[in-house]
Amino acid sequence: MGDHFEKGQHALLNEGEENEMEIFGYRTQGCRKTLCLAGSIFSFGILPLVFYWRPAWHVWANCVPCSLQEADVVLLRTTDEFQTYSWKKVMWIYLSSLNREFGVTPDHTLITDEEYIINRAIRKPDLKVRCIKVQKIRYVWNNLEGQFQKIGCLEDWLSSTKIHLKFGSGLTREEQEIRRLICGPNTIDVEITPIWKLLIKEVLNPFYIFQLFSVCLWFSEDYKEYAFAIIIMSIMSIALTVYDLREQSVKLHHLVASHNSITVSVCGRKAGVQELESRFLVPGDLLVLTGNKVQMPCDAILIDGSCVVDEGMLTGFNTAKGDLVRSILYPKPMNFRLYRDAIRFLLCLVGTAAIGMIYTLCVYVLSGDPPEEVVKKALDVITIAVPPALPAALTTGIIYAQRRLKKRGIFCISPQRINVCGQLNLVCFDKTGTLTREGLDLWGVVPCDRSGFQEIHSFASGRSLPWGPLCAAMATCHSLILLDGTIQGDPLDLKMFEATTWEMALSGDDFHIKGVPAHAMVVKPCKTASQVPVEGIAILRQFPFSSALQRMTVIAQEMGGDRLAFMKGAPERVASFCQPETVPTSFVSELQSYTTQGFRVIALAYKKLEMDHHSTALTRDKVESDLIFLGLLILENRLKDETKPVLEELISARIRTVMVTGDNLQTAITVARKSGMVSESQKVILIEANETTGSPSASITWKLVEEKKHIGYSNQDNYINIREEVSDNGREGSYHFALSGKSFQVISQHFSSLLPKILINGTIFARMSPGQKSSLVEEFQKLDYFVGMCGDGANDCGALKMAHVGISLSEQEASVASPFTSKTPNIECVPHLIKEGRAALVTSFCMFKYMALYSMIQYVGVLLLYWETNSLSNYQFLFQDLAITTLIGITMNLNGAYPKLVPFRPAGRLISPPLLLSVIFNILLSLAMHIVGFILVQRQPWYSMEMHSVCTLQNESISKLIISPTAPEKIGSNGAFISFENTTIWFLGTINCIIVALIFSKGKPFRQPIYTNYIFVLVLVIQLSVCLFILFADIPELYRRLDLLCTPILWRVYIIIMLSSNFIVSLVVEEAIIENRALWMTFKRCFGYQSKSQYRIWQRALANDPSWPLLNQTSYSDMPGCGRGVSYSNPVFESNEEHL
C-alpha cells in the first residue's frame, strides 16, 4: 500500500507503549463488497480463506481509504518487526436510552464539560459515540482532538486537587450510567474458548489445507490407505494442539474469574454508600474500604486514610494484571529463525515440485495421455515433493519432549517454545525465592551504646531480647496489621516483630489515653515476659516505607509513659538522621563485616517527642531528626542447596547467568559471589548513574568494588566498599558490572550508546522494578541473546512474558505469564529445560532433513519412471509412506536429551552450511544412485520391455534364462506399473529411506546415542529385514501384490552393492565433514568468518578497546561519545515507578 496516506487516514494507537499499533481508516464500498462475494462463491471458498490468512487483503479488497473520522473499518498494523495486520469494525454507542431515564440532553452540564475524554467522545446533538475494541480494550473517538483514545481510566493530566474536587464526594447516578455505557464493564472478560473455535482456527492452518488437498487427490486415485493414515495422524496432531490451547484457556479463565465477582462499597454523591458488584464500577467511583481484607477490583488512588497492600496485581483490562492477561491472549509472534527457515524450506520444496510438474506435463502431453490423467500426474508431484506428514512428524518430537519434561515436574503451556530452549545463551534469575530461600531469617541484633557496638544477641539461643528502646523499636516500627485475628504484612516486619515475642491487639472503645485514638494498634509484652515496665505501646502514626527514601518511621505512645519516634531502614540512611556522637566509630567496618557475608542489614534509631503536639500535626522532617542510633538488625537470606551447582553447570556450558532482583545491591553482589555467578578471581565494577538536579544532563560513575579494605564511603542503599586506586592488571582480568534499577533507568534514557557495552558484562541488577526487569530482558534481546527468565513472584511476570523462555517456580500469576512452570521450586529445572530444548531442536533438524530426503528420493524415482510413462503403484507408495516413513517419523524422535550440557549450542537455522551441505549432498548421492540403477538395468542382457519376469533356473548360467511372459489378466492390479525400472527404483528408494534415517539420527552431544532408542533401532532392523526378504524371496504372489518383477540374483546383489556404497559414502561424509565441528571452526578461521550477532560484535569491539572498562571516573551525558545513541535507544521504556 506504500506509505502515502490521505489526510487523517493514518495515526498511532497507544503511542510509546508495548502494544503500539498503526491505525488506518477505510470505508466499505458496495461494489467492491459485491465483487468479493462473487469471488468467494466462484472460488469455492478459497478467496475467504486467503482473506483469513491475509487480513489486510480483505480490507484492501472490500474498502477504499478514507480519514479515520469517516471510517467504518480500521486496519491495524503492529509497529514491531512482525508488522502483523488485523482489522476492526467501527461501532456506535448510543446514549439516547439515558435521555428517557435521566433526561440527558446535548446541553446537559454532565456532557458539556469537555475536560474529560468521555465528554469529548460524545457527538452532539445526536448523543452517540464512535468506538473500536482492540485486544479487549475500548477506544473512543475524541471529537476535539480527532483521534482514537483509550477509555476506562482517569485522565493522566488530572492534578491531585482536581481529583479531590471532582471525585472526592463520589459520582452522581447520571454520571455513573454515562461512564458505564461508554467505558463498558470493569472486568477481565476471558471466556473459555469453545472447542469448535479452536478446531476451526487450527484446521485453517495453511499446511492442514494442503493436507486436505493431498487427501482429496489420493482418494481420487484410489490411494485410500495412506490417505486414511494421514487423516488419523492429522486428527491426533490437531487434537493435541486444541487440547493444549483449551487447557490454557481454562486455566486463564479460572485465574481471573474470581476477580470479576467482588462486592465493593461505593459512595455516591447523592445516594450515599451502596454495595455494588465490581463489574459495574466506572472511572471516578469513590470506593470505601471497610477495614476487612478485600481484593481490589481496580487501580485506585488513595485520597484519604491508610491501607496495606501486597504485591498481587489488580484487576481490569486497564491495569497491570489486565495487561498481563491481554499479552497472554494476544502474544507477540515468536521470532525464532527455525520457523522462518521452515517456511523457506517448504517454499524450496514447492519450487522443486513446480519444476517436476512442468516436466510431467511435457512428458505426458507428448505421450498423448488423457488430460485428466496428465493433471493427476502433475498434481501428484506436489504431494510427493512436499511431504504432508511433516507437521505430524514434527509434532511427535515436541510431544515426546513435553512428556519427558512432565516426568521431571516441568509443565509447558506453549510446546513450540521447547525448541527455543535449545538456543538459550543467557538466563536471568530473580534472587529471593529463586536463587535464595523464600523470605528472611532473623539471625540476630547488634545493640550499641555510647561506647560502641555490643555483643550480638542471637535469637537462635532462645533468649528474649531485654527491654529497652531497641526492643520497643522492633515491636512498633513496622506496617503490620491485625486481620481476622492474624498478623499480616511485610515478611521482614513479621520476622522482626515475632522475635520480640510481643502480642498485637486493637484498642477498644474504652481506651482513653491523651492523643491516642480509639481502635489504635497496640503492642503488648506477652504474659510470660518479665521486667517490662510498660503495659503496652500504641502506634499513633506511620510514615510508610518508600524504596526511594529507604526508611520508615512511626510515632508511638507508651501507656502511661513517653511519646517516642522509631525509625528503621538502610543503615547509611538511618545513620544520616542520627546524632553523630550516637553512631559508633566502627559503624562502617561492622556493617561491612555482615554485608560481605551476604546478610541483610537494617538499622534502628529512636528519639523522645514532646507531648505538646498532636501526632498528626508533626511533619516527617520534624520527626526524622536528631535521632539516637540503636543498633543493627541482621537478617539472613540463604542460598538454596541446588543454586550453586546449577549455576556452575550453566557457566561451564558458556551460558551467561544474570541476577535481576528487587533487593539491595550489596546483598545481590554477595549472593552473586556465593553462588558462583561471580567467581573469586573476577572483579565487580559498580556503575552509578544519576540525573543532574535542575539540568537535563546526567552523570555516570564507575568504581571497582573492593572486598577487604575500607577506603571510601558509598551512598548506595547498603554499604559497598570502593577501591580508589586500581592497578592496570585490574583492566585485563574478567569483570562484571553491577548497577541498580535507578542507574539502569538513567543509563537507558541518557547514555543509550553506552547501554550495550554495559550489558555485555552486566551481571548484577539490583533494586529493579517489574517494569525495569522487563526492559532489561528486552535490551538483552536487542543484542541477539536468546534470553531465559526464571522467577517466582508477581513482580517477575512482565520479564517472564518478555523473555524467549519464561520459567516460573510458582503456580500463582507467574505461572500464567510463563510458558514453563516447575513443580520443584528451585532452579534445577533450568538446565533440564535447556537439555531437552537442545535435544528437541536437533530432533527437529533431523526430521526436516529426513523428510526432505524421503521426499526427494520419491521425487527422483517417480520422475525417472515418468520418463518411461511409468510410476510407482499405490501399494509401492503405501509401503514407502506408511510402513517405512511413518514408522520412522514416529520413533526417530524418541531419543532423550544427553545428560551433559556441552559448551556450545546446536545450529539454530535450517539453512546453516553444514545442514544444507548434508541435505544437498545426500540428495545428489541418491540421485546418482537412482540414475545409475535406472540406466544399468536397461543395459542388462535379460532386459526387455516386453518381459514381465526373469528368473534363473538352479544350476544354469545367466545366458540360459527362462523368459516367462505373463498374460495381461495375471499381471496384477496395476499392470501398467510393472517394469524392471520400476522394480529397481522401488528397492533402491525404499531401502535408501531406511539408510537415510540411520544416517540422520544424531546422538551425542545433544541427544542420547541412537542405540539407546531401542524402539527406533528395532523398527529399522525389522524394516530392513522385510525389504531384504522381499528382494530375495522369489514369492510370486508377494511380487504380484507389490507390482514387482522377479530379477536375477546377480542384479539383486548389484542393488545391494549400490545401496551399501551409498550408505558408506554418506556415513563417512556425515561423520568426517558434516558433524566435524573442529573442521567447520577451521573453515571459519580460514575464511575470516565472524558471528554477526550483536553481542559478538560488541564483545570483539570491547576486547580491542584498551580504555574499557572505565574505572574511577565520572562521565556526563552532554560529553562527546557519552550521550544518547540511536542504535539501541528504547523509547518504549519510560518508568515512573520511582515516583508512585
Side-chain angles (χ1 to χ4, degrees), residues 367-632:
S367 68
D369 279 43
E372 63 272 14
E373 288 301 316
V374 175
V375 171
K376 282 184 181 180
K377 294 289 184 187
L379 293 177
D380 262 341
V381 174
I382 299 178
T383 64
I384 291 169
V386 184
L390 181 60
L394 293 175
T395 301
T396 56
I398 297 296
I399 290 169
Y400 295 150
Q402 192 174 2
R403 191 175 65 184
R404 289 192 294 267
L405 287 171
K406 192 173 182 179
K407 286 181 180 177
R408 292 187 175 273
I410 302 170
F411 296 86
C412 175
I413 61 172
S414 179
Q416 296 303 320
R417 296 265 179 171
I418 295 175
N419 275 338
V420 185
C421 296
Q423 284 292 289
L424 290 184
N425 54 0
L426 185 150
V427 184
C428 298
F429 293 96
D430 179 38
K431 183 182 74 67
T432 307
T434 303
L435 298 176
T436 61
R437 294 177 184 177
E438 188 65 56
L440 295 164
D441 296 317
L442 193 59
W443 189 73
V445 64
V446 186
C448 78
D449 56 21
R450 297 282 179 177
S451 60
F453 286 107
Q454 306 299 305
E455 182 181 351
I456 187 166
H457 176 91
S458 174
F459 292 102
S461 64
R463 292 184 297 114
S464 59
L465 188 67
W467 166 251
L470 182 58
C471 181
M474 291 175 61
T476 58
C477 196
H478 51 70
S479 57
L480 300 174
I481 59 170
L482 197 62
L483 190 61
D484 299 329
T486 306
I487 301 173
Q488 295 187 351
D490 185 272
L492 187 151
D493 286 350
L494 194 57
K495 289 280 184 183
M496 180 182 72
F497 180 74
E498 287 174 347
T500 64
T501 69
W502 281 40
E503 298 171 346
M504 184 178 288
L506 285 173
S507 60
D509 293 327
D510 58 345
F511 186 80
H512 298 292
I513 296 179
K514 183 181 178 182
V516 178
H519 304 288
M521 192 66 68
V522 177
V523 293
K524 301 177 180 180
C526 64
K527 296 176 182 177
T528 58
S530 59
Q531 298 181 344
V532 178
V534 296
E535 182 184 342
I537 304 175
I539 301 171
L540 307 182
R541 187 180 177 191
Q542 293 180 357
F543 297 101
F545 176 81
S546 160
S547 58
L549 299 176
Q550 301 174 19
R551 66 186 186 275
M552 79 164 292
T553 305
V554 297
I555 299 175
Q557 172 76 56
E558 291 180 349
M559 293 184 185
D562 298 323
R563 181 167 294 178
L564 306 166
F566 296 101
M567 176 190 286
K568 84 168 188 300
E572 302 84 6
R573 299 297 294 159
V574 172
S576 67
F577 291 99
C578 293
Q579 301 169 19
E581 63 273 15
T582 67
V583 180
T585 54
S586 60
F587 169 78
V588 171
S589 59
E590 187 79 11
L591 178 59
Q592 185 188 9
S593 69
Y594 291 109
T595 55
T596 53
Q597 295 177 64
F599 290 110
R600 176 81 178 271
V601 183
I602 302 293
L604 296 162
Y606 90 112
K607 77 172 184 180
K608 291 184 179 180
L609 297 174
E610 299 293 332
M611 300 286 285
D612 301 339
H613 302 286
H614 197 278
S615 61
T616 55
L618 295 171
T619 63
R620 187 163 191 167
D621 290 341
K622 177 74 173 176
V623 174
E624 295 179 338
S625 62
D626 295 327
L627 300 173
I628 299 170
F629 192 81
L630 288 173
L632 302 173

